Amino acid sequence: DFHDVTTIYSSGAAFVALKKDLGQAVCWGSADLGGECSGIDFRDVTEIYGGESAVVALKKDLGETVCWGKSHFGGMCSRIDFHDVTAISNTGGLFLINFQGFTTYYGSPGALVALKKDLGQAFCWGQSYTGGECTWTDFSGVTEIYGSGASFVALKKDIGQAVCWGHPDFGGRCSGIDFHDVTTIYSSGAAFVALKKDL
């Protein structure tokens, strides 16, 4: 029943039709990849983000989220503090979350990242080898985060630096790259391109 649906979201193998005013949703597609949500409480959900194999529903005003789908692709987020999250985005299978304090969410096929830009902090979860482990990463001064199929690049545009993590063969290693004057980074499923537009 699509009556009262306000927005429809998609993951890699499922859809979620949100009835925001009613606090309800309808899900369909591959059940274990986000298409089964009968036990999910959608009250107060403000945004929904889909990865390749999982879905995240953000309750921004409450600082809470609900995640479902494949647990090792972002479908398990019970350990994450979502207070102050402002946005989430994904590439493939990871999510990157921005909290109040966090400004954006990013994702790859197997991981998620939540960035608290003003605090220079971030949370990552999902598969460690595709970007779900970032405890060693310095997020101070990060202005944007970009995800490929199995890695992330956190750009510090103001100082011409970047930090990369995830699978080294898919862009997770960038220590030899000069990021001065980079304005935007583009990603494919396996690589990144850094554009120095003004040059």
Side-chain angles (χ1 to χ4, degrees), residues 148-192:
S148 74
S151 63
F152 291 100
V153 176
L155 179 63
K156 303 179 180 186
K157 187 182 295 186
D158 296 339
I159 60 175
Q161 297 179 6
V163 182
C164 305
W165 72 100
H167 199 297
D169 294 337
F170 293 88
R173 183 175 298 158
C174 61
S175 58
I177 306 298
D178 177 11
F179 288 94
H180 282 92
D181 301 312
V182 167
T183 56
T184 309
I185 294 178
Y186 300 93
S187 65
S188 68
F192 294 98

Side-chain angles (χ1 to χ4, degrees), residues 23-80:
Q24 301 175 2
V26 180
C27 303
W28 69 100
S30 179
D32 60 343
L33 300 180
E36 168 53 46
C37 63
S38 58
I40 305 298
D41 178 9
F42 287 94
R43 290 174 295 180
D44 301 310
V45 166
T46 53
E47 294 292 337
I48 294 177
Y49 305 90
E52 277 299 305
S53 305
V55 182
V56 177
L58 174 64
K59 302 180 180 186
K60 185 183 295 185
D61 297 337
L62 300 179
E64 300 175 358
T65 61
V66 183
C67 304
W68 69 100
K70 288 285 189 182
S71 60
H72 54 290
F73 285 93
M76 171 59 69
C77 60
S78 58
R79 296 178 299 169
I80 306 299

Side-chain angles (χ1 to χ4, degrees), residues 50-53 73 88-96 105-113 130 145-153 187-189 192:
E52 277 299 305
S53 305
F73 285 93
I88 298 177
S89 68
N90 82 87
T91 74
L94 292 186
F95 293 93
L96 176 45
Y105 289 91
Y106 305 88
S108 75
L112 300 173
V113 179
T130 58
I145 295 179
Y146 305 89
S148 74
S151 63
F152 291 100
V153 176
S187 65
S188 68
F192 294 98

Side-chain angles (χ1 to χ4, degrees), residues 72-134:
H72 54 290
F73 285 93
M76 171 59 69
C77 60
S78 58
R79 296 178 299 169
I80 306 299
D81 176 8
F82 286 92
H83 282 89
D84 302 320
V85 168
T86 56
I88 298 177
S89 68
N90 82 87
T91 74
L94 292 186
F95 293 93
L96 176 45
I97 302 172
N98 285 11
F99 296 73
Q100 217 162 342
F102 283 77
T103 52
T104 310
Y105 289 91
Y106 305 88
S108 75
L112 300 173
V113 179
L115 175 65
K116 297 184 177 183
K117 186 182 292 185
D118 296 340
L119 300 178
Q121 299 175 0
F123 291 110
C124 304
W125 71 101
Q127 291 185 321
S128 60
Y129 65 89
T130 58
E133 171 55 50
C134 64

Side-chain angles (χ1 to χ4, degrees), residues 1-10 14-20 22-29 34-38 40 42 48 55 68:
D1 179 7
F2 287 92
H3 284 93
D4 301 310
V5 167
T6 52
T7 312
I8 296 178
Y9 305 89
S10 64
F15 291 93
V16 180
L18 178 64
K19 303 179 180 185
K20 185 180 292 187
L22 300 178
Q24 301 175 2
V26 180
C27 303
W28 69 100
E36 168 53 46
C37 63
S38 58
I40 305 298
F42 287 94
I48 294 177
V55 182
W68 69 100

